[in-house]
């Protein structure tokens, strides 16, 4: 497998806006763009189709994108696998990697002991997965193919990092 640089570091938090504001104040990251209630057409958690209602804030911190994630609905999920529902715990959840072929990368990682925790698809057809690598790395891996739309979003967030004061700037919608 070719080198896979980290494209994003993601934290599970109870409030994406508050977490983004705090991170921006502490580290100068941002600006942050918030997507509330990200629409999914499919979310398969450990082989079981489940509802997953989550929100995310995305910002830039140097060379890497930062994401803050919150789960808006109760129940099992890849987020709650690491931070059990009701525990009050939060922290690093996953790092994201671009892969050329999602199915081949999943097969490679699962062949080396990772397990598929989430296979999800957004309403725009974009697919991503979470691999459980907690025992090995202490967090999950998120994998997705670098589509033109995804690369454009990453570039937009990176470019805007130098254009605005830090903090939460606006809400965005994914669909």
């Amino acid at each position: 497998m070719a080198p896979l640089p980290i494209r994003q570091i993601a934290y599970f938090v109870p409030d994406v806006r508050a977490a983004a504001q705090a991170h921006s104040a502490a580290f100068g990251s941002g600006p942050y763009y918030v997507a509330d209630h990200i629409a999914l057409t499919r979310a398969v958690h450990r082989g079981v189709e489940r509802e997953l209602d989550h929100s995310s804030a995305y910002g830039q911190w140097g060379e890497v994108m930062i994401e803050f994630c919150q789960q808006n609905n109760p129940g099992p999920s890849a987020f709650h696998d690491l931070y059990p529902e009701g525990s009050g715990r939060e922290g690093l959840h996953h790092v994201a990697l671009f892969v050329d072929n999602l199915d081949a990368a999943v097969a490679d990682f699962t062949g080396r002991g990772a397990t598929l925790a989430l296979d999800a698809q957004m309403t725009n057809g974009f697919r991503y997965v979470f691999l459980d690598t907690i025992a090995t790395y202490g967090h999950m891996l998120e994998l997705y193919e670098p589509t033109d739309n995804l690369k454009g979003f990453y570039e937009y967030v990176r470019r805007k990092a130098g254009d605005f004061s830090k903090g939460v700037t606006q809400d965005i919608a994914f669909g």
Side-chain angles (χ1 to χ4, degrees), residues 138-170:
H139 56 77
M140 300 233 182
L141 292 179
E142 180 179 33
L143 305 179
Y144 36 66
E145 294 175 2
T147 64
D148 288 342
N149 284 342
L150 180 66
K151 290 187 298 185
F153 177 66
Y154 268 76
E155 181 54 33
Y156 177 81
V157 171
R158 177 187 298 277
R159 190 174 63 251
K160 291 299 185 180
D163 294 347
F164 296 103
S165 63
K166 306 302 183 194
V168 177
T169 61
Q170 66 183 30

Side-chain angles (χ1 to χ4, degrees), residues 118-140:
L118 175 69
D119 190 336
Q121 188 164 342
M122 296 172 58
T123 57
N124 65 3
F126 177 74
R127 181 176 165 225
Y128 65 95
V129 301
F130 285 151
L131 292 171
D132 185 341
T133 55
I134 298 166
T136 306
Y137 304 119
H139 56 77
M140 300 233 182

Side-chain angles (χ1 to χ4, degrees), residues 11-27:
Y11 299 89
F12 180 73
V13 297
D15 181 327
V16 297
R17 286 176 175 77
Q21 288 284 7
H23 199 275
S24 180
F27 300 107

